[in-house]
Amino acid sequence: MGFFDVVNVYGLLFAIALLIPDIWYAKTHKIDRTIFDNRAMLYIERIGKYCSLFLMGINIGVLEKGFTKDIMKTFWLAAVSFMTSICILLWILCFKKATKPTSYSLTVITGMIFILSGLLQVKTLLLTFGIVYLIGQLYVTKKYLNHMQ
């Protein structure tokens, strides 16, 4: 088993590109954790996010088949590159002022990246954690935006 059988370099780069603005936002903006009355949903969002990011870059071999055709890998690279670029632009807008359309778009596109990656790479766990992330993040985004108004 070689290094590239365990590490998906492109997935790892996309995961890092998605994680850096998230960390930067958390460091530069004060978030009141008491606004989340359902702490379980907050933990569900975090588990979904970090497991999805981990599984994008690391192949653990459980419930994974990889790309079944080369065209799937090409489409995945193009689609995820495009969606990651949009996410970075949306993060820039969120740093200036987090609005409902910007925040929900960021949430949905990031969830789509995880879900699409799980589908095209035939990674059942990544697909599952992507759905868990999307559900949890929609809740967190709603509570955060309602608190900011």
Side-chain angles (χ1 to χ4, degrees), residues 44-87:
I44 285 171
E45 180 268 336
R46 288 181 182 167
I47 290 169
K49 176 178 19 180
Y50 295 120
C51 288
S52 294
L53 290 168
F54 176 78
L55 290 170
M56 277 187 71
I58 306 295
N59 300 319
I60 59 174
V62 177
L63 300 173
E64 295 178 356
K65 299 209 186 320
F67 295 107
T68 56
K69 304 230 185 238
D70 288 336
I71 190 78
M72 289 171 70
K73 183 174 184 179
T74 305
F75 175 75
W76 175 75
L77 284 170
V80 174
S81 296
F82 177 71
M83 287 191 286
T84 302
S85 300
I86 291 174
C87 280

Side-chain angles (χ1 to χ4, degrees), residues 25 90 93-107 141 144-146 148-149:
Y25 190 86
L90 289 171
L93 294 174
C94 279
F95 278 110
K96 293 180 181 180
K97 182 169 182 351
T99 62
K100 279 188 179 186
T102 306
S103 299
Y104 280 118
S105 297
L106 183 60
T107 296
T141 302
Y144 183 70
L145 290 173
N146 286 342
M148 289 186 61
Q149 291 179 351

Side-chain angles (χ1 to χ4, degrees), residues 22 41 44-46 49 103-104 106-108 110 132-142:
D22 191 38
M41 287 300 288
I44 285 171
E45 180 268 336
R46 288 181 182 167
K49 176 178 19 180
S103 299
Y104 280 118
L106 183 60
T107 296
V108 170
T110 305
V132 167
Y133 163 77
L134 185 58
I135 293 167
Q137 185 64 37
L138 285 171
Y139 169 81
V140 169
T141 302
K142 179 183 174 202

